[in-house]
Amino acid sequence: AKWGESDEPKYVSVSEMYAATKNRGKEKRKIALLVAEGEIVKGESSRGQVGDDTYLSALAEIKDDDDVAAVVVRINSPGGDALASDVLWRELAVLDEDRPVVASMGDIAASGGYYMAAGARHILAEPTTITGSIGVFGVLFNAESLFKNKLGVQFDRVATHPYADFGNFTRPLAKKESDAIQSGVERTYHRFINVVAESRGFEKVEDVEKIAEGRVWSGRRAVELGLVDELGGLDRALAKAAEFSGLTDGYQIDVYPKTADRLSRLLEQLSEDSVGLGYIEAKMGLSPSAVRFLSKM
């Protein structure tokens, strides 16, 4: 190449070259795939459940991994606990401020499942996905008549306060108790409505109320209503996350929560009953104390 009269050669120090090479090696090249399948519950996950504690730990792992450029949360859930759903929505929304979060809906992402999805900046659904169900309800079981009329069993109460046994299923609710429950349900519902309005960019809360009240929608209809951004499967969601994060040269997918290995899952299943433990003792030649130790790993 020829230098022009005003051109001067550019000099780069060895330390600058090293820093540039080091930074290239640290470019974010991962998309975290968070799979949320099952009922949303408080605490740790078990089979067929999305436990908020388990998923908060997974989100913390994702946040601490500097190689993760974007997150796709795959939701296949009918909903569940309102508080757990709110906590997971909040954590996804906070994570989205640091790196893009995209929600991908499976067969169903309703109620708390949609609540979670609202924490993402972009939501995709299949045309036949069942979603929406923006609503809250509370149920308490009263078995007084069952015990009295079918079993001949009656209950007496000894309490230091009229509502000391609030929620006791052997008696009907007092009016103040039912009013308190109804008030809690309404507060939770209005919280849900406001979260959707804010997250999805509705101008008025009333616009959300028109499509809420527990109504369910197909994925195709949800796009028309503004609850979902576009139709597409998991592959499209991953491509969208890559687009948001600028991953144009390929990426690695890390699945969360991390699953236990096959031996751990087998021990978990078999440790649920004594027959399973006896089987392990016989087949693996382990002492009972060793089996108990392995089952707790």
Side-chain angles (χ1 to χ4, degrees), residues 24 64 74 79 97 109-110 120 162-163 190 258 272:
R24 280 200 302 272
D64 290 341
R74 175 69 171 181
E97 296 174 0
Y163 311 117
H190 289 303
K258 301 296 185 182
E272 293 176 356

Side-chain angles (χ1 to χ4, degrees), residues 15-29:
S15 60
E16 289 174 327
M17 291 178 63
Y18 173 74
T21 304
K22 188 177 180 181
N23 288 335
R24 280 200 302 272
K26 285 193 172 182
E27 289 179 356
K28 295 180 178 180
R29 289 295 176 193

Side-chain angles (χ1 to χ4, degrees), residues 2-295:
K2 295 181 180 180
W3 294 96
E5 293 181 358
S6 61
D7 291 327
E8 296 180 1
K10 302 266 193 310
Y11 296 97
V12 180
S13 68
V14 174
S15 60
E16 289 174 327
M17 291 178 63
Y18 173 74
T21 304
K22 188 177 180 181
N23 288 335
R24 280 200 302 272
K26 285 193 172 182
E27 289 179 356
K28 295 180 178 180
R29 289 295 176 193
K30 293 181 183 178
I31 291 180
L33 176 58
L34 182 66
V35 181
E37 184 161 357
E39 180 188 3
I40 300 172
V41 298
K42 293 292 295 176
E44 298 294 330
S45 297
S46 61
R47 205 165 303 150
Q49 292 183 330
V50 178
D52 63 345
D53 286 349
T54 300
Y55 281 77
L56 287 176
S57 297
L59 288 168
E61 288 183 52
I62 293 171
K63 190 172 184 178
D64 290 341
D65 190 343
D66 293 332
D67 291 333
V68 173
V71 180
V72 172
V73 53
R74 175 69 171 181
I75 302 171
N76 193 20
S77 171
D81 186 88
L83 178 57
S85 302
D86 183 81
V87 168
L88 293 173
W89 160 78
R90 174 63 180 167
E91 289 303 310
L92 288 169
V94 169
L95 183 59
D96 183 66
E97 296 174 0
D98 181 58
R99 62 201 78 179
V101 176
V102 174
S104 170
M105 295 180 173
D107 293 336
I108 181 170
S111 193
Y114 183 79
Y115 205 140
M116 276 187 67
R121 70 175 59 184
H122 197 79
I123 302 176
L124 297 94
E126 302 283 359
T128 56
T129 295
I130 297 174
T131 189
S133 190
I134 301 170
V136 180
F137 67 90
V139 176
L140 281 180
F141 183 58
N142 178 13
E144 182 181 40
S145 296
L146 172 65
F147 280 106
K148 181 178 180 180
N149 300 331
K150 299 295 183 181
L151 302 176
V153 177
Q154 299 187 62
F155 295 87
D156 291 324
R157 299 173 64 221
V158 177
T160 58
H161 189 276
Y163 311 117
D165 61 343
F166 180 79
N168 190 328
F169 66 90
T170 64
R171 66 174 180 83
L173 288 173
K175 185 177 186 308
K176 284 187 177 181
E177 291 174 319
S178 61
D179 288 346
I181 293 173
Q182 183 63 35
S183 177
V185 168
E186 291 176 3
R187 283 198 307 271
T188 304
Y189 177 64
H190 289 303
R191 164 73 174 168
F192 196 171
I193 290 288
N194 281 278
V195 162
V196 174
E198 179 183 351
S199 301
R200 298 301 303 162
F202 283 88
E203 293 184 2
K204 299 178 181 178
V205 174
E206 291 78 8
D207 293 335
V208 180
E209 292 177 339
K210 294 176 182 177
I211 55 177
E213 296 182 347
R215 298 180 181 89
V216 295
W217 311 99
S218 68
R220 189 180 301 279
R221 181 69 175 130
V223 172
E224 298 172 358
L225 296 172
L227 295 175
V228 171
D229 291 296
E230 64 173 297
L231 297 177
L234 181 57
D235 54 345
R236 174 59 183 159
L238 289 166
K240 198 68 183 178
E243 177 186 326
F244 281 134
S245 56
L247 290 177
T248 57
D249 300 328
Y251 51 84
Q252 173 187 335
I253 299 173
D254 276 4
V255 180
Y256 293 86
K258 301 296 185 182
T259 56
D261 56 45
R262 292 183 179 181
L263 176 60
S264 298
R265 289 198 299 269
L266 175 64
L267 290 171
E268 180 185 352
Q269 294 172 16
L270 294 180
S271 65
E272 293 176 356
D273 57 79
S274 58
V275 175
L277 293 177
Y279 178 84
I280 296 176
E281 292 177 29
K283 292 298 182 182
M284 300 181 68
L286 299 176
S287 66
S289 60
V291 171
R292 285 193 292 272
F293 172 76
L294 284 171
S295 67

